[in-house]
Amino acid sequence: MGKLFERFPDPLARLIVVVVAMVALGAFAYFVLIPKPVKDIEFQWADAVKTEKARPVRYAGFQVCEECHGEIHNTKKTGYHKDLSCETCHGPAKAHSENPDKVKPNIPTARTFCPQCHAYNPSRPRGFPQINPVAHNPLKPCSSCHNPHDPKPPTTPKECSACHGEIARMKAVSHHVQLECTTCHQAPQQHKVSPRSVKPTKPQAREFCGKCHGKDATDKLAKNAPKVDLGEHGEKYVCWQCHYPHSPEVEQ
């Protein structure tokens, strides 16, 4: 061995000595210094399983939700959110399933929740509903306009958007996104043939907007609408003379 080393150049001989020394130190550390449980994969696996089993069970599973909320389940299972588990939005429901009167499930109302999936992101598939959370109806929780168990994107009829595309795009991000064009306008059939000579109607009375925005409004759409006292607000003017109805954003 000594004669063999004598044949090697000095740098190579030193390198071999260093490598042999490092291998010897590594073997000493592995076989002597490191405890056996640390090297035993089965031991580590069993310890991890034991740790996970000790954690409290927090999720109930959608089958448990269905037992009490069958009607909602039937609504959701055919909609756009059919692949979402109930606990995706409502959080862990194990405690609620065991004591439904005392423990209520979480109902997400923050504007930051739904945009986790629906905020515009160019990497998402084409056709996936995406919005700008800042510009899209920013004052209300998403669930005030969209039924989260059966969300259906509102659309403007093609016969309206064909000529009024700019209005349709504006209304799509406003508080009036859920209103059909015909909620406020009656368009005679002749309007499609002679749009400049035959105009659609406009609300001519303050009471029309008051059905949702009057302080005593009872219309089903009035639940989350801003309310005013029609007797004092705006005096003699029709509402759309001051508020642009296709984008009626109001600072609050």
Side-chain angles (χ1 to χ4, degrees):
M1 181 64 73
K3 293 183 179 179
L4 179 62
F5 266 96
E6 291 176 356
R7 296 178 183 175
F8 293 158
D10 289 344
L12 178 60
R14 286 195 291 271
L15 177 62
I16 292 174
V17 171
V18 171
V19 170
V20 170
M22 293 179 65
V23 171
L25 287 174
F28 176 77
Y30 182 79
F31 291 105
V32 179
L33 299 181
I34 300 177
K36 184 179 178 180
V38 176
K39 298 180 289 186
D40 189 344
I41 295 179
E42 291 185 0
F43 177 84
Q44 295 177 23
W45 180 264
D47 189 55
V49 171
K50 182 180 177 181
T51 301
E52 292 302 318
K53 283 186 174 179
R55 295 179 186 275
V57 178
R58 301 170 60 216
Y59 289 87
F62 72 92
Q63 298 92 340
V64 176
C65 301
E66 183 182 355
E67 292 177 3
C68 296
H69 305 285
E71 185 175 349
I72 293 177
H73 172 77
N74 290 334
T75 300
K76 190 174 78 66
K77 70 179 181 181
T78 58
Y80 288 97
H81 283 173
K82 62 183 178 183
D83 294 327
L84 290 183
S85 168
C86 306
E87 291 166 299
T88 301
C89 299
H90 294 291
K94 178 70 174 177
H96 169 66
S97 66
E98 295 175 345
N99 193 346
D101 293 329
K102 185 176 181 181
V103 182
K104 299 298 181 183
N106 176 53
I107 298 177
T109 56
R111 287 280 303 177
T112 55
F113 184 78
C114 298
Q116 294 181 57
C117 291
H118 293 289
Y120 176 71
N121 185 331
S123 66
R124 289 187 170 128
R126 180 178 298 178
F128 187 85
Q130 300 179 69
I131 54 108
N132 179 343
V134 176
H136 182 84
N137 202 2
L139 298 179
K140 298 294 182 183
C142 304
S143 58
S144 64
C145 293
H146 305 278
N147 178 0
H149 299 125
D150 186 22
K152 295 178 180 176
T155 58
T156 301
K158 291 182 179 178
E159 57 267 32
C160 298
S161 61
C163 296
H164 306 289
E166 184 177 352
I167 292 176
R169 289 190 293 273
M170 184 180 298
K171 190 172 78 66
V173 295
S174 81
H175 289 109
H176 282 173
V177 61
Q178 293 289 349
L179 297 183
E180 300 286 349
C181 301
T182 53
T183 301
C184 303
H185 304 287
Q186 293 181 1
Q189 190 65 23
Q190 192 63 22
H191 173 65
K192 300 176 184 178
V193 181
S194 304
R196 296 189 182 280
S197 59
V198 180
K199 304 286 187 180
T201 64
K202 293 180 180 179
Q204 297 299 318
R206 294 161 52 78
E207 287 71 22
F208 181 84
C209 297
K211 290 189 296 184
C212 290
H213 296 290
K215 66 177 183 180
D216 299 323
T218 57
D219 192 281
K220 64 179 181 180
L221 295 175
K223 182 178 179 182
N224 295 300
K227 304 294 193 301
V228 298
D229 185 343
L230 291 179
E232 299 179 355
H233 183 86
E235 300 178 350
K236 61 182 179 181
Y237 297 102
V238 180
C239 302
W240 53 259
Q241 291 179 301
C242 298
H243 302 279
Y244 184 54
H246 301 125
S247 182
E249 317 302 349
V250 177
E251 296 292 337
Q252 291 186 345

